[in-house]
Amino acid sequence: MAWYPGAKKMELQPESDAQPAIRPTQLILHSIAAPWTPERTYEYWRDSTNLESHFAVGFDGRVAQFIGTQTRADSNMYANKRPDGTGAVSVETASNLDHTDPWTDAQVSALIKLGVWMHTYHGVPLRIARSHDDPGYGIHRMFPQWSDGGTECPGDARAAQFWNVIFPDIVRAAGGEPVPEPSGGGAVPIDGKSYGPGSSGDHITAMGRALVRAGCSRYAEGPGPNWTNADTESMRAYQLKIGDTANADGIPGPLQLRKLLGEFGDSAGGIVPFPGAAWFQDEPNSALITAMGNRLVAEGCGRYSSGPGPQWTDSDRQSYAAWQRKQGFGGSDADGWPGKTTWDALKVPRVS
């Protein structure tokens, strides 16, 4: 069994000796929904449950390892029960009770270092896992097979950090290039258009805009026209949202796509008229601010660290200023306070 030199060894017995061997091909990140130190996590695994993870990372970035990485740990569900003997290494991380907070800087640094070690020691390829049994890196919420039917762990803030910071920095620190997704691999034809890895076109952008309106955005800058891992993650969030956990693989099916576009597509619903400049000066708390922020994200102007709304914040101003500049305004005209011209162009959908 293998032990990570950057972790404090706190071996769980009898699991460490009794559980089957695996050949690790994946690294999966979790939030434990508790503000626990690695020592407290060890006590929980030892005394309170028959489950366990390989690693725990505290808010301060300290890492503990409970089981060798070539031995099965059960917190990844079926990721460690594959007939070919491959398995996933699991990392529980301290969080608030709802796992809605972002990882601390110290946690991010620790996860990057562990991710690099998994690549150099075990050969985990530098790519996001494309399916539940595909070698690579992931977060627990990506595939229902990694949990008991689906999970929102880790929360949106940490999911964004994984896509935009942690995985790219693992690639950079490992000195390699990410393994490309195969051209057209995993794509499906729907109504004469291709959806999935390798797909490209205005229809991918339109799908992404609908996912943003549905509250399922996993985009950092906005969707389309080329299919990316953010499209897969956003579609998976929508599939889980509508309860289709059995088919939550991030690639749309025909019925899923038609439901999405019918409810949240560009032609669905009405557009909110400009509420007036004074409304924004009062720093409102409203679902309309969330809808506006989602539109800014869809247009590639989002400047949010953890998602928009419902409270008006300086992130909304920065995002709206980016939208104003995109519309050709500059100087004091791009101050981040909405005006009628840019608001009408943004086409914020009505909210219930």
Side-chain angles (χ1 to χ4, degrees):
M1 62 181 71
W3 296 88
Y4 172 50
K8 178 181 180 181
K9 184 177 179 180
M10 303 182 69
E11 191 168 9
L12 279 171
Q13 289 292 358
E15 292 88 349
S16 185
D17 290 337
Q19 297 193 157
I22 61 169
R23 178 169 59 86
T25 59
Q26 297 171 328
L27 180 68
I28 303 175
L29 308 184
H30 305 241
S31 290
I32 202 166
W36 288 347
T37 63
E39 291 80 9
R40 176 65 185 91
T41 303
Y42 167 77
E43 292 171 354
Y44 178 72
W45 293 146
R46 183 192 64 193
D47 302 333
S48 304
T49 179
N50 60 354
L51 301 176
E52 68 284 319
S53 61
H54 289 93
F55 293 95
V57 180
F59 286 129
D60 59 2
R62 290 188 305 113
V63 182
Q65 184 174 357
F66 311 129
I67 291 180
T69 50
Q70 292 163 306
T71 301
R72 190 185 84 192
D74 291 323
S75 62
N76 290 322
M77 199 64 177
Y78 298 116
N80 283 323
K81 297 180 180 180
R82 295 195 282 263
D84 64 357
T86 62
V89 170
S90 54
V91 187
E92 287 287 0
T93 58
S95 70
N96 64 22
L97 298 180
D98 299 315
H99 60 73
T100 56
D101 55 333
W103 280 304
T104 67
D105 290 345
Q107 285 177 310
V108 169
S109 178
L111 293 172
I112 292 168
K113 292 175 183 176
L114 178 56
V116 172
W117 181 78
M118 287 294 299
H119 171 69
T120 57
Y121 190 90
H122 288 301
V124 175
L126 297 173
R127 69 171 176 232
I128 306 294
R130 298 163 297 182
S131 66
H132 70 93
D133 57 359
D134 183 52
Y137 296 78
I139 53 178
H140 194 200
R141 64 195 282 174
M142 282 173 53
F143 299 104
Q145 293 90 342
W146 290 354
S147 62
D148 188 11
T151 179
E152 286 298 307
C153 157
D156 291 348
R158 295 185 177 198
Q161 286 176 300
F162 172 74
W163 292 109
N164 302 322
V165 179
I166 292 175
F167 177 71
D169 280 357
I170 289 172
V171 174
R172 280 189 283 268
E177 294 294 329
V179 178
E181 300 209 8
S183 177
V188 297
I190 302 175
D191 297 333
K193 298 175 182 177
S194 175
Y195 293 84
S199 303
S200 180
D202 292 342
H203 63 292
I204 301 300
T205 307
M207 180 201 73
R209 287 196 295 259
L211 289 166
V212 170
R213 296 186 192 112
C216 299
S217 172
R218 301 297 183 263
Y219 301 102
E221 299 179 353
N226 299 315
W227 185 283
T228 68
N229 283 316
D231 292 291
T232 302
E233 181 70 0
S234 298
M235 177 54 69
R236 182 179 296 110
Y238 176 73
Q239 291 165 328
L240 293 173
K241 180 176 181 177
I242 63 176
D244 196 358
T245 57
N247 298 296
D249 59 358
I251 308 300
L255 295 180
Q256 293 172 341
L257 183 66
R258 289 162 193 159
K259 177 178 176 63
L260 171 69
L261 297 180
E263 295 181 3
F264 300 102
D266 291 339
S267 61
I271 301 300
V272 178
F274 181 53
W279 189 79
F280 296 93
Q281 299 288 341
D282 291 336
E283 298 185 349
N285 187 314
S286 169
L288 180 56
I289 298 302
T290 305
M292 178 201 73
N294 286 336
R295 284 290 300 126
L296 292 169
V297 170
E299 292 295 339
C301 297
R303 301 296 184 267
Y304 302 98
S305 60
S306 59
Q311 179 69 49
W312 175 274
T313 69
D314 190 63
S315 293
D316 292 293
R317 280 198 65 186
Q318 295 177 27
S319 301
Y320 204 93
W323 170 245
Q324 290 168 325
R325 290 191 294 272
K326 185 174 180 178
Q327 296 302 298
F329 294 90
S332 60
D333 292 326
D335 60 359
W337 293 108
K340 188 177 188 310
T341 299
T342 52
W343 181 269
D344 289 347
L346 188 58
K347 295 181 172 56
V348 179
R350 294 187 183 277
V351 291
S352 56

Coordinates of all heavy atoms in Angstrom, one line a residue, residues 1 4 6 57-58 93 95 113 124 171 184 188 227 244 277 311 334:
M1 N 0.8 -1.2 0.0 CA 0.0 0.0 0.0 C 0.9 1.2 0.0 O 2.0 1.2 0.5 CB -0.9 0.0 1.2 CG -0.2 0.0 2.6 SD -1.4 0.0 3.9 CE -2.0 -1.7 3.8
Y4 N 1.1 8.8 1.2 CA 1.5 10.1 0.7 C 2.5 10.8 1.7 O 2.1 10.9 2.8 CB 0.3 10.9 0.5 CG 0.5 12.4 0.1 CD1 1.3 12.7 -0.9 CD2 -0.2 13.4 0.8 CE1 1.5 14.1 -1.3 CE2 -0.1 14.7 0.4 CZ 0.8 15.1 -0.6 OH 0.9 16.4 -0.9
G6 N 3.2 13.8 2.1 CA 2.7 15.1 2.6 C 1.6 15.0 3.6 O 1.1 16.0 4.0
V57 N -8.5 16.7 4.8 CA -7.8 18.0 4.7 C -8.5 19.0 5.5 O -9.7 19.2 5.3 CB -7.6 18.5 3.3 CG1 -6.9 19.8 3.2 CG2 -6.9 17.5 2.4
G58 N -7.8 19.6 6.5 CA -8.4 20.6 7.4 C -8.4 22.0 6.8 O -7.8 22.2 5.7
T93 N -12.8 16.9 2.9 CA -12.3 18.2 3.3 C -13.2 18.9 4.3 O -14.4 18.8 4.1 CB -12.1 19.1 2.1 OG1 -13.3 19.2 1.4 CG2 -11.0 18.5 1.1
S95 N -15.5 21.6 6.0 CA -16.4 22.6 5.4 C -17.4 23.1 6.4 O -17.4 22.6 7.6 CB -17.1 22.0 4.2 OG -18.1 21.1 4.6
K113 N -1.2 19.8 -4.4 CA 0.0 19.0 -4.2 C -0.4 17.5 -4.2 O 0.3 16.7 -4.7 CB 0.6 19.4 -2.8 CG 1.2 20.8 -2.9 CD 1.7 21.2 -1.5 CE 2.3 22.6 -1.5 NZ 2.7 23.1 -0.1
V124 N -2.3 8.8 -12.5 CA -3.6 9.3 -12.8 C -3.5 10.3 -14.0 O -2.7 11.2 -13.8 CB -4.3 9.9 -11.6 CG1 -5.6 10.5 -12.0 CG2 -4.5 8.9 -10.5
V171 N -2.4 20.4 -13.3 CA -1.8 20.2 -14.6 C -0.5 21.0 -14.7 O 0.5 20.5 -15.1 CB -2.8 20.6 -15.7 CG1 -2.1 20.5 -17.1 CG2 -4.0 19.6 -15.7
G184 N -15.3 14.3 -30.7 CA -16.6 13.7 -30.9 C -16.9 12.6 -29.9 O -18.0 12.1 -30.0
V188 N -23.7 13.0 -28.7 CA -24.9 12.4 -29.1 C -25.6 13.3 -30.1 O -25.6 14.5 -29.9 CB -25.8 12.0 -28.0 CG1 -25.2 11.0 -27.0 CG2 -26.3 13.2 -27.2
W227 N -18.1 22.8 -26.8 CA -18.4 22.1 -25.6 C -17.1 21.9 -24.8 O -16.1 21.5 -25.2 CB -18.9 20.7 -26.0 CG -19.4 19.9 -24.9 CD1 -18.6 19.2 -24.0 CD2 -20.8 19.6 -24.5 NE1 -19.4 18.5 -23.1 CE2 -20.7 18.8 -23.4 CE3 -22.0 20.1 -25.0 CZ2 -21.9 18.4 -22.7 CZ3 -23.1 19.7 -24.4 CH2 -23.1 18.8 -23.3
D244 N -33.3 13.0 -12.6 CA -33.0 11.9 -13.5 C -31.6 11.4 -13.1 O -30.6 11.5 -13.9 CB -33.0 12.4 -15.0 CG -33.0 11.2 -15.9 OD1 -33.0 10.1 -15.5 OD2 -33.1 11.5 -17.1
A277 N -32.8 53.1 -12.7 CA -31.5 53.2 -12.1 C -31.5 53.3 -10.6 O -30.7 52.7 -9.9 CB -30.7 54.4 -12.6
Q311 N -28.4 39.2 -3.3 CA -28.1 40.5 -2.8 C -27.2 41.2 -3.8 O -26.2 40.6 -4.3 CB -27.3 40.4 -1.5 CG -26.9 41.8 -0.9 CD -28.1 42.6 -0.5 OE1 -29.0 42.1 0.3 NE2 -28.1 43.9 -0.9
A334 N -19.2 53.1 -18.3 CA -19.0 51.7 -17.9 C -18.7 51.6 -16.4 O -17.7 51.1 -16.0 CB -18.0 51.0 -18.7

